[in-house]
């Protein structure tokens, strides 16, 4: 191609890129077909273990769910994080599979069909990652909200037939005690009863086969230490795991937002059963994890929900997600 032809070609190409056809008429704008996202699993080697983050789904939370934060401040934080407020605050539901070499341990299980069509992909993603549900030997539940417990079953059938389910004793006591509802404000009671029904359905196939155990402070489940972190729910726990000198903590729902609750950790969320205690718990563990540098796995931080907590002043925090590694 000589110089003249090259420049003519370049000009025509530029025009067509600008949406002008070579005949001088505007070209029809073409929208690309929206492709399906890649499978929602992420492999993370930890010590001599293999952690697989499993995405259950994503959805949007209304800003109003975050409590006791001046709207102007909430808007500033959301703007800083480029969060599209028209849709709401995007939130992920993640579960984590730990391959110890001898067994698979699942931490939380997603929502199955309990929370609508955006969720329920943990099982599909576990299979996509190359595992079979029958290989899961234990499931540790941080608490009994539907987005953590429902994924263990589907329509009364256990999704993980060989797994023992572990739930903290205070968490079982709270949800299974018919008197708990009386401690709640009137406007919370219908939702409580609804959640109890979902929990009972989810755990039934395991209970009937004696595959449900409770734990308490000080107990150890396989190599996991249990970490009491009540507030979001009365029997909420995290799980800590060590391998080759490193520690990873599966923190559960001590945080729901990588933006508002990191910049301003004293912000409660509407799902907290005891908001004040939930805030105290977050402040306590954020300070500890920022200081000691544990690797964090969180169900509601952006997928894969694995990273570290950073702070320069122990007042506001920053979520440092892991970097994609192939
Ligand atoms: Zn949750």
């Amino acid at each position: 191609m000589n110089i003249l032809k090259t420049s003519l070609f370049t000009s025509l190409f530029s025009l067509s890129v600008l949406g002008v056809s070579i005949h001088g008429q505007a070209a029809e704008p073409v929208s690309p077909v929206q492709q399906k996202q890649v499978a929602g699993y992420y492999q993370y080697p930890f010590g001599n273990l293999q952690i697989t983050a499993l995405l259950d789904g994503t959805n949007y939370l209304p800003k109003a769910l975050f409590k006791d934060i001046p709207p102007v401040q909430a808007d500033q934080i959301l703007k800083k994080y480029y969060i599209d407020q028209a849709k709401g605050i995007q939130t992920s539901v993640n579960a984590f599979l730990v391959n110890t070499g001898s067994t698979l341990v699942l931490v939380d299980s997603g929502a199955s069909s309990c929370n609508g069509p955006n969720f329920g992909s943990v099982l599909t993603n576990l299979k996509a990652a190359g595992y079979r549900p029958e290989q899961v030997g234990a499931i540790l539940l941080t608490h009994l909200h539907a987005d953590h417990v429902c994924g263990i079953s589907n329509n009364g059938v256990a999704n993980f037939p060989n797994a023992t389910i572990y739930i903290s004793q205070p968490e079982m006591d709270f949800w299974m005690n018919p008197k708990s509802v009386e401690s709640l404000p009137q406007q919370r009671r219908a939702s409580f009863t609804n959640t109890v029904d979902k929990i009972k359905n989810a755990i039934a196939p395991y209970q009937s086969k004696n595959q449900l155990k409770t734990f308490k402070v000080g107990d150890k489940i396989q190599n996991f230490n249990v970490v009491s972190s009540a507030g979001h729910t009365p029997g909420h726990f995290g799980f800590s795991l060590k391998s080759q000198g490193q520690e990873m903590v599966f923190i559960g729902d001590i945080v729901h937002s990588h933006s508002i609750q990191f910049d301003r950790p004293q912000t409660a969320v509407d799902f907290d059963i005891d908001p004040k205690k939930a805030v105290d718990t977050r402040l306590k563990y954020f300070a500890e994890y920022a200081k000691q540098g544990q690797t964090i796995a969180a169900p509601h931080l952006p997928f894969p929900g694995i990273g570290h907590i950073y702070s320069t002043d122990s007042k506001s925090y920053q979520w440092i997600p892991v970097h994609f590694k192939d």
Side-chain angles (χ1 to χ4, degrees), residues 7-68:
S7 83
L8 180 62
F9 174 82
T10 307
S11 305
L12 291 174
F13 179 74
S14 307
L15 285 171
S16 67
V17 164
L18 290 169
V20 179
S21 79
I22 53 173
H23 302 295
Q25 293 165 332
E28 280 291 311
V30 180
S31 298
V33 175
Q34 295 300 315
Q35 302 288 340
K36 204 170 163 1
Q37 188 53 276
V38 293
Y41 67 90
Y42 182 76
Q43 304 289 10
Y44 182 74
F46 178 73
N48 58 5
L49 308 171
Q50 173 81 50
I51 313 292
T52 307
L54 300 169
L55 180 68
D56 197 50
T58 59
N59 207 354
Y60 296 97
L61 295 179
K63 187 174 63 179
L65 287 178
F66 291 90
K67 299 293 181 192
D68 307 320

Side-chain angles (χ1 to χ4, degrees), residues 196-216:
V196 169
D197 289 343
K198 289 174 178 172
I199 295 167
K200 286 182 174 170
N201 287 337
I203 64 178
Y206 297 89
Q207 274 181 314
S208 66
K209 290 187 176 172
N210 247 338
Q211 289 174 219
L212 192 150
K213 290 185 179 172
T214 55
F215 64 85
K216 57 185 185 323

Side-chain angles (χ1 to χ4, degrees), residues 53-58 92-97 106-116 118-126 139-154 159-160 198-199 202 253 299-300:
L54 300 169
L55 180 68
D56 197 50
T58 59
S92 183
V93 173
N94 314 316
F96 300 94
L97 190 70
L106 182 63
V107 182
D108 289 327
S109 69
S112 188
S113 57
C114 284
N115 284 7
N118 286 60
F119 299 109
S121 297
V122 159
L123 199 58
T124 315
N125 285 325
L126 180 140
I139 302 177
L140 316 185
L141 298 177
T142 57
H143 64 296
L144 290 178
H145 275 152
D147 53 322
H148 300 258
V149 65
C150 280
I152 64 175
S153 304
N154 190 24
N159 281 334
F160 304 94
K198 289 174 178 172
I199 295 167
D253 282 13
H300 298 309

